[in-house]
Amino acid sequence: MGNALTQKILITLGFLFAYRVLAYIPTPGVDLGVIKAFFDSNSNNALGMANMFSGGAVQRLSIISLGIMPYITASIVMELLAATFPALGQMKKERDGMQKYMQIIRYFTIFITVVQAIGVSMGLQSMTGSAGQSAVMIDPMTFTILATFSMLTGTMLLMWIGEQITQKGIGNGISLIIFAGIVSGLPAAISNTIRAVNAGEMNFLLVIAILAVMLITVFAIIYVELGERRVPISYSRKTIMQNQTKRVMNYIPVKVNLSGVIPPIFASAVLMFPLTVLQASTNTWLTAIADALAPGGVVFNVVTFFLVVFFAFFYASIAFNAKDIADNLKRQGGFIPGVRPGEHTKDFLNEVASRLTASGAIYLAIISTVPFAIISGMGASFYFGGVSVLIIVQVALDTMRKIEAQRTMNQYDTLGNVGL
């Protein structure tokens, strides 16, 4: 059975390798030299953030330049609609309905991708290099059509790869794609920093300070992510041989961060969608809005803070269903000591979850804004945010848990086979 786990890991690595190959396939009709020069001078703003999430695909103007963000944006909208309209929420709970629900998300992903791809292609047509050469080497209309279809194909391939990893591999496919994209950019960021120190462009003490901020961020994330409130549960079980009632104690683990890595990813997706479209505009007002929303600015950090808090509460309310837990406990003869079964148990669990979510939401909002603001203020030449570290740590922890769970299942299956 160990072979099954190895097979899942190899499938996951194979699909991630395919994702990295796609990142090096350029969109037809662009001058990559002009594109690279432009992104080199915009590595620590909105474009740097988009480039980080795509694993460098934006800088190469790959067919997966838009990354998996259109799919995430579509998922956000559908989750909001499902929470607003009961019929759509009920569709999610049914097996056949879930297939229709996912199909709607895919169609909406196509729509968002097409809008963003057109915006990007129009923006590229006005981009010029240092010598005045255009970034687009073919007819503008032909390029818009080619770029739109190329980026749409790339995003749909990424969506398919994510679904295949989730179904046949280990871990959440979409999270692992974002994880792989961020990690793939670390070697380049490290080499650029070393080059800047050797060239005297960056002080060595500044590098030490940046590393200290990164380490503090990592330790804070690990500490909070492993934190949980254990709500004690008591089960009454009759033991016939002893003719007495034996009480079995257990607990419900309620994590401090119930919503996981979803809120920062959702917040980034919501901000990156208008930024991608606004970057293509030449209108003075729209350009001013894009500049105000640029990462590192006060407006960007404030908007990110409140978006993360909102999505943390929103997603926690979906992920943690106190009513279902209370009903299951009542059916199984379980109860929380000092709390009456049924409605009182549901209210108690909701109160516990609300308090933890409040702390978790503030923690996520701080992690998503403060590290980047500090490092940006230090003059780092690359994008680094708490969101990226949060994704790396959380996805790594989640994948390790799933590998451990798979190993445990394999051990039980092996013992069962030996017994037979």
Side-chain angles (χ1 to χ4, degrees):
M1 284 294 168
N3 292 333
L5 176 59
T6 304
Q7 186 179 7
K8 284 178 176 289
I9 293 173
L10 290 175
I11 288 172
T12 302
L13 292 175
F15 277 116
L16 290 178
F17 176 75
Y19 155 63
R20 293 308 303 151
V21 170
L22 289 172
Y24 287 88
I25 301 176
T27 301
V30 295
D31 188 332
L32 294 180
V34 175
I35 302 296
K36 186 178 184 305
F38 176 76
F39 277 95
D40 284 344
S41 61
N42 290 275
S43 58
N44 60 346
N45 57 19
L47 294 172
M49 182 174 69
N51 193 50
M52 177 201 69
F53 278 115
S54 68
V58 173
Q59 188 173 7
R60 304 181 195 98
L61 208 70
S62 159
I63 60 171
I64 60 167
S65 297
L66 298 179
I68 202 68
M69 285 303 175
Y71 177 77
I72 294 173
T73 306
S75 300
I76 294 169
V77 175
M78 287 301 293
E79 290 285 0
L80 290 170
L81 291 174
T84 307
F85 299 101
L88 196 57
Q90 185 62 33
M91 181 191 292
K92 277 184 65 180
K93 298 178 181 178
E94 300 169 358
R95 186 173 179 180
D96 293 337
M98 189 61 184
Q99 293 178 353
K100 293 179 182 178
Y101 182 85
M102 293 304 297
Q103 197 64 26
I104 295 171
I105 290 179
R106 292 188 188 100
Y107 286 134
F108 196 38
T109 300
I110 293 173
F111 171 75
I112 294 173
T113 304
V114 168
V115 171
Q116 286 189 313
I118 292 173
V120 169
S121 60
M122 290 177 66
L124 288 170
Q125 292 169 23
S126 60
M127 186 187 298
T128 55
S130 56
Q133 71 273 33
S134 175
V136 177
M137 299 186 295
I138 58 177
D139 175 67
M141 181 60 69
T142 304
F143 173 73
T144 300
I145 295 171
L146 277 176
T148 301
F149 276 101
S150 298
M151 292 181 186
L152 176 60
T153 302
T155 297
M156 298 311 288
L157 277 172
L158 277 190
M159 186 175 69
W160 179 79
I161 287 173
E163 290 177 353
Q164 294 303 305
I165 291 175
T166 303
Q167 293 171 10
K168 301 176 182 178
I170 290 285
N172 182 286
I174 303 301
S175 298
L176 281 170
I177 286 174
I178 299 173
F179 171 86
I182 295 170
V183 170
S184 67
L186 292 180
I190 293 170
S191 65
N192 288 338
T193 303
I194 293 172
R195 180 193 55 77
V197 172
N198 292 335
E201 298 172 4
M202 187 177 289
N203 191 297
F204 183 72
L205 292 176
L206 181 61
V207 175
I208 298 297
I210 290 174
L211 285 174
V213 174
M214 291 180 177
L215 288 174
I216 291 170
T217 303
V218 171
F219 286 132
I221 290 170
I222 293 174
Y223 178 79
V224 177
E225 291 304 319
L226 296 178
E228 62 183 21
R229 163 82 184 275
R230 296 183 174 182
V231 180
I233 301 296
S234 182
Y235 290 96
S236 293
R237 185 178 67 187
K238 290 185 178 179
T239 307
I240 298 174
M241 291 188 66
Q242 296 179 359
N243 196 25
Q244 62 182 4
T245 300
K246 182 180 179 182
R247 183 166 290 182
V248 181
M249 292 298 295
N250 210 328
Y251 63 87
I252 299 173
V254 185
K255 294 183 65 178
V256 175
N257 179 20
L258 280 168
S259 50
V261 74
I262 299 299
I265 293 178
F266 277 14
S268 299
V270 168
L271 282 173
M272 284 173 65
F273 177 70
L275 281 174
T276 304
V277 177
L278 290 173
Q279 290 286 346
S281 175
T282 55
N283 183 279
T284 308
W285 287 98
L286 295 179
T287 305
I289 294 172
D291 292 339
L293 286 173
V298 176
V299 176
F300 175 85
N301 285 328
V302 170
V303 173
T304 300
F305 189 95
F306 284 107
L307 278 176
V308 170
V309 170
F310 168 75
F311 283 122
F313 276 97
F314 171 73
Y315 198 78
S317 67
I318 297 173
F320 188 82
N321 193 322
K323 187 178 186 306
D324 287 351
I325 296 173
D327 291 343
N328 289 335
L329 281 175
K330 192 173 182 179
R331 280 196 297 268
Q332 296 169 9
F335 60 92
I336 300 172
V339 181
R340 295 170 63 182
E343 198 68 24
H344 289 82
T345 298
K346 185 198 80 170
D347 294 340
F348 176 81
L349 289 173
N350 273 330
E351 184 180 354
V352 170
S354 296
R355 290 178 179 177
L356 290 175
T357 301
S359 303
I362 298 300
Y363 142 77
L364 282 175
I366 291 173
I367 288 294
S368 301
T369 54
V370 173
F372 177 53
I374 293 173
I375 290 180
S376 217
M378 290 179 178
S381 58
F382 55 88
Y383 177 85
F384 172 86
V387 176
S388 56
V389 182
L390 183 67
I391 292 171
I392 290 173
V393 173
Q394 280 207 359
V395 173
L397 288 173
D398 182 59
T399 306
M400 286 173 62
R401 288 192 195 104
K402 288 181 178 176
I403 291 174
E404 191 60 36
Q406 185 69 39
R407 288 179 60 190
T408 304
M409 285 175 60
N410 291 343
Q411 288 173 2
Y412 280 127
D413 288 341
T414 304
L415 288 172
N417 292 333
V418 170
L420 291 171

